[in-house]
Amino acid sequence: MKKPIDCDLLVVGSGAAGLSAAVTAAAHGLKVVIAEKEPTFGGTTAWSGGWMWTPRNPLARRDGIVEDIEQPRTYLRNVLGPHFDEAKVNAFLEAAPRMVAFFDENTALRFEDGNKIPDTYGNVPGAAAGGHQVIAAPYDGRELGGLIVRLRRPMRETTFMGLTIQAGPDLRAFMNVTRSPGAFLYVARRVGWHLIDLVLHGRAMQLRNGLALVARLLRSAEDLGVDLMSSSSVVRLLQADGAVRGAVLETADGLIELNARRGVVLATGGFPHDAERRRAMFPASDQHWTLAVPSATGDGARLGEEVGGTVDRTLAAPGAYCPVSLVPYADGTIGRFPHIIERGKPGIVGVLKNGRRFCNEGNGYHDYVTAMMRAIPPGEEIASWLVCTRAFQRRYGLGISRPAPVPVAPFIRSGYIKTGRTIAELARNCGIDPAGLEHAVGDYNVGARRGEDPAFGRGSTTYNRYQGDAAVSPNPCVAPIESGPYYAVKVVAGSFGTFAGLKTDANARVLEASGNPIPGLYAAGTDMASIMGGFYPSGGINIGPAMTFGYIAGRYAAGANDSDVGLAINANLEKGSYA
Ligand SMILES: Cc1cc2nc3c(=O)[nH]c(=O)nc-3n(C[C@H](O)[C@H](O)[C@H](O)COP(=O)(O)OP(=O)(O)OC[C@H]3O[C@@H](n4cnc5c(N)ncnc54)[C@H](O)[C@@H]3O)c2cc1C
């Protein structure tokens, strides 16, 4: 074994949670090491949309959206029911606005608002029509200097030629490229610069979404002197006098011991790729296609359990579900595409093998998969098909096949998209019951011609309407499916990652079975049991809490107290000086 490394705080994993904890602790004066198992930093966070659910954040206040803490608390209490944990929800709601202000004031992280994005369940008391989300502002990869080669590359399926596209005006421009000269010019510039970046740097340098978040946090970490160790997997925690005080790292140079005087933060990205733990906790786990990075193999849960921590198995769902289609590539590999956007547009329905619809397709991703799993009898394949017209595909895209002018033919040739001149022919090509599908589409069309969806109420919530197409009236979420040719893509159950994780207290300290904290051990992000209790009340409910509990853990480990930067920021928030 090599000579031990000494530090104050070891952070295991370099996604949102780990980087947030590391940057916070370093800004409060600690000597911090991040150990990342992969050669590149960023984890699933780098592949994500990067949205952070942070009610009462300073950017909402700046836009005049001022709400009492009771509003989001009421919303969560109503959505989470018996899974509502008052102490942790309070800690999150108190700290989230301070976390945003702290990073904005003290680090390279800057934010843009998502003030128009509503909470998912608009009919539930406490739901907000906006003001609850922020995202990292776009970032120029050149700002990372030499660190750029250590930044995880984006997820192939969610980029356009390697370029990450941000929900909101950026995405709208790409969707309207053939319809508006302004959009065309904007996209031409974005893509033009991107092509130059590909030639000069071999990768996208216009960073957005989760990649921008990771890049900005990496910049901040380096600025604050955080020791960034990649290709370094934590394999064992070290204890002294009952407290966690370090770890053993597996590196290219062999095993290294690391002493961490203030302890260790576990932020390894949950257990989406731990087949055994998934089998124990996920329904039909053999039919599950997670979108998380392959290195999220449950190391945090295992490391925590080895020193007395426990994984919470009582959540309403073990994972953050998302419908996924499987993309066959020419080299024989299979990609996983998250269906986030097109399900909410007018003129598409989701159906089962019997041809029947089973849910409001425009609701949240988690809800689509939950409804699909509920509707399919045990033992049958968990799958559904999103069915639309060719015209719909050309307008909004279908799965990984992009809208016009990007050609759709390669996806038809590969079998990813099934086609039919009639609904019955499409059904036969998909293996769906033709009579069932004809009946379901016919039934849907009757209401859709009036802009209604009596069966499932599409367009009944602000969230539905936000996901729809404002140019379509009277209901932006509903349009008939009546002029062929018809297209469909098969959708299976997937996830963004896990919700179940180590039990912690409101300070992110990992708890023993007795409920006592294990001194020196923290968990944040997907390594911590989600405070959302297995529900998905809004977009951004993974990274918002991951950033916030990383911040809480970093401050706690640093012994931050009333006189420090965090509370000064809180005072500014109360005075409204962020307005
Ligand atoms: C396509 C997509 C879009 C998404 N969009 C959003 C969104 O907009 N908003 C939102 O809230 N959520 C979103 N999510 C979910 C979100 O990305 C994750 O829940 C979140 O990023 C997890 O962050 P984390 O810090 O817990 O883990 P990660 O970001 O996964 O980081 C964990 C890191 O730990 C490393 N690691 C693992 N084991 C070890 C070890 N033993 N030693 C050292 N390092 C180790 C891993 O390699 C990894 O780099 C999305 C997910 C996907 C896939």
Side-chain angles (χ1 to χ4, degrees):
M1 184 113 52
K2 302 254 178 261
K3 192 170 158 291
I5 297 173
D6 286 320
C7 70
D8 293 320
L9 187 70
L10 168 65
V11 174
V12 192
S14 66
L19 284 165
S20 171
V23 170
T24 305
H28 285 76
L30 297 197
K31 182 171 186 289
V32 181
V33 172
I34 289 184
E36 166 55 54
K37 173 160 139 179
E38 295 273 87
T40 54
F41 299 107
T44 302
T45 306
W47 282 3
S48 76
W51 289 98
M52 297 167 247
W53 197 69
T54 49
R56 300 159 64 241
N57 66 72
L59 287 85
R61 285 173 181 236
R62 195 186 54 200
D63 268 8
I65 305 173
V66 179
E67 42 171 12
D68 189 81
I69 193 166
E70 195 48 40
Q71 177 164 351
R73 189 161 46 209
T74 300
Y75 180 57
L76 291 185
R77 193 181 281 117
N78 283 314
V79 176
L80 276 48
H83 297 273
F84 179 81
D85 179 330
E86 180 120 35
K88 273 186 267 177
V89 166
N90 281 347
F92 166 69
L93 291 175
E94 294 277 357
R98 285 193 268 145
M99 177 277 290
V100 174
F102 165 79
F103 279 99
D104 188 43
E105 288 207 338
N106 297 285
T107 75
L109 180 49
R110 297 288 175 274
F111 299 90
E112 285 187 351
D113 73 75
N115 285 345
K116 294 200 165 56
I117 309 174
D119 290 334
T120 305
Y121 308 112
N123 300 334
V124 171
H132 279 179
Q133 293 195 50
V134 294
I135 190 168
Y139 199 53
D140 185 343
R142 288 163 198 80
E143 299 283 339
L144 279 182
L147 262 181
I148 185 73
V149 296
R150 301 175 77 195
L151 175 69
R152 183 178 274 280
R153 284 177 183 268
M155 184 183 189
R156 174 175 177 184
E157 288 72 26
T158 55
T159 61
F160 177 64
M161 297 164 61
L163 195 58
T164 37
I165 299 180
Q166 186 177 324
D170 191 42
L171 175 63
R172 269 198 297 280
F174 277 86
M175 302 269 277
N176 287 312
V177 70
T178 55
R179 305 176 149 239
S180 135
F184 177 82
L185 281 177
Y186 174 89
V187 170
R189 257 189 74 214
R190 277 264 273 142
V191 173
W193 282 117
H194 174 58
L195 294 176
I196 294 172
D197 286 339
L198 287 182
V199 172
L200 295 181
H201 305 279
R203 65 184 295 160
M205 299 299 267
Q206 300 174 47
L207 307 178
R208 292 196 177 229
N209 304 346
L211 258 188
L213 176 63
V214 170
R216 285 178 173 277
L217 287 168
L218 274 180
R219 174 75 278 138
S220 312
E222 194 179 63
D223 291 348
L224 288 161
V226 174
D227 189 353
L228 295 165
M229 297 180 67
S230 43
S231 303
S232 303
S233 178
V234 169
V235 292
R236 191 156 56 84
L237 295 176
L238 298 173
Q239 286 177 287
D241 303 327
V244 173
R245 290 288 176 253
V248 176
L249 277 60
E250 200 172 72
T251 72
D253 298 330
L255 295 180
I256 297 180
E257 211 169 278
L258 195 141
N259 301 319
R261 286 177 285 272
R262 302 286 182 99
V264 175
V265 180
L266 298 173
T268 69
F271 61 92
H273 287 283
D274 178 344
E276 202 178 314
R277 207 181 283 273
R278 230 173 58 191
R279 227 179 343 266
M281 295 177 76
F282 273 62
S285 75
D286 55 328
Q287 295 189 58
H288 187 88
W289 301 81
T290 185
L291 297 152
V293 291
S295 58
T297 50
D299 296 9
R302 184 181 50 75
L303 292 165
E305 283 175 341
E306 280 170 6
V307 296
T310 52
V311 170
D312 193 344
R313 302 170 65 107
T314 65
L315 277 68
Y321 299 144
C322 177
V324 162
S325 55
L326 303 178
V327 188
Y329 291 127
D331 63 3
T333 57
I334 305 280
R336 300 170 186 197
F337 181 86
H339 287 258
I340 296 174
I341 293 163
E342 95 283 55
R343 278 180 299 110
K345 303 294 179 201
I348 190 166
V349 289
V351 298
L352 301 174
K353 199 169 182 298
N354 58 17
R356 295 205 189 120
R357 287 176 71 205
F358 58 96
C359 69
N360 175 336
E361 298 86 349
N363 280 351
Y365 8 83
H366 186 76
D367 297 321
Y368 185 95
V369 174
T370 307
M372 182 168 77
M373 291 195 295
R374 271 201 201 119
I376 295 171
E380 284 188 19
E381 184 188 14
I382 297 178
S384 64
W385 285 261
L386 288 170
V387 172
C388 61
T389 60
R390 176 183 157 82
F392 177 101
Q393 191 284 333
R394 296 284 71 201
R395 176 69 190 95
Y396 306 111
L398 179 62
I400 199 171
S401 71
R402 312 292 187 211
V406 183
V408 63
F411 298 98
I412 297 173
R413 276 199 301 275
S414 75
Y416 174 77
I417 287 186
K418 304 287 186 209
T419 65
R421 279 161 302 168
T422 62
I423 288 287
E425 186 180 80
L426 177 75
R428 279 191 294 277
N429 289 340
C430 293
I432 304 173
D433 172 37
L437 187 60
E438 277 181 326
H439 184 265
V441 172
D443 204 35
Y444 164 81
N445 282 344
V446 173
R449 287 185 200 109
R450 298 192 306 267
E452 290 168 10
D453 176 24
F456 294 102
R458 276 176 74 164
S460 57
T461 63
T462 344
Y463 176 82
N464 273 182
R465 291 190 289 278
Y466 179 78
Q467 295 285 104
D469 180 347
V472 172
S473 65
N475 185 339
C477 312
V478 173
I481 304 171
E482 50 193 355
S483 308
Y486 301 96
Y487 286 1
V489 66
K490 186 175 179 180
V491 165
V492 294
S495 65
F496 293 130
T498 41
F499 274 152
L502 290 163
K503 288 187 190 168
T504 68
D505 67 7
N507 285 311
R509 294 183 299 174
V510 176
L511 300 176
E512 294 175 335
S514 65
N516 290 327
I518 301 169
L521 189 63
Y522 306 85
T526 37
D527 276 358
M528 168 186 187
S530 167
I531 61 159
M532 300 300 163
F535 292 91
Y536 219 119
S538 171
I541 52 88
N542 306 296
I543 302 181
M547 288 292 295
T548 305
F549 283 101
Y551 166 79
I552 289 174
R555 276 172 53 80
Y556 194 92
N561 59 41
D562 289 9
S563 60
D564 87 350
V565 62
L567 287 181
I569 284 170
N570 197 28
N572 284 343
L573 281 170
E574 297 312 327
K575 278 190 304 201
S577 54
Y578 286 95

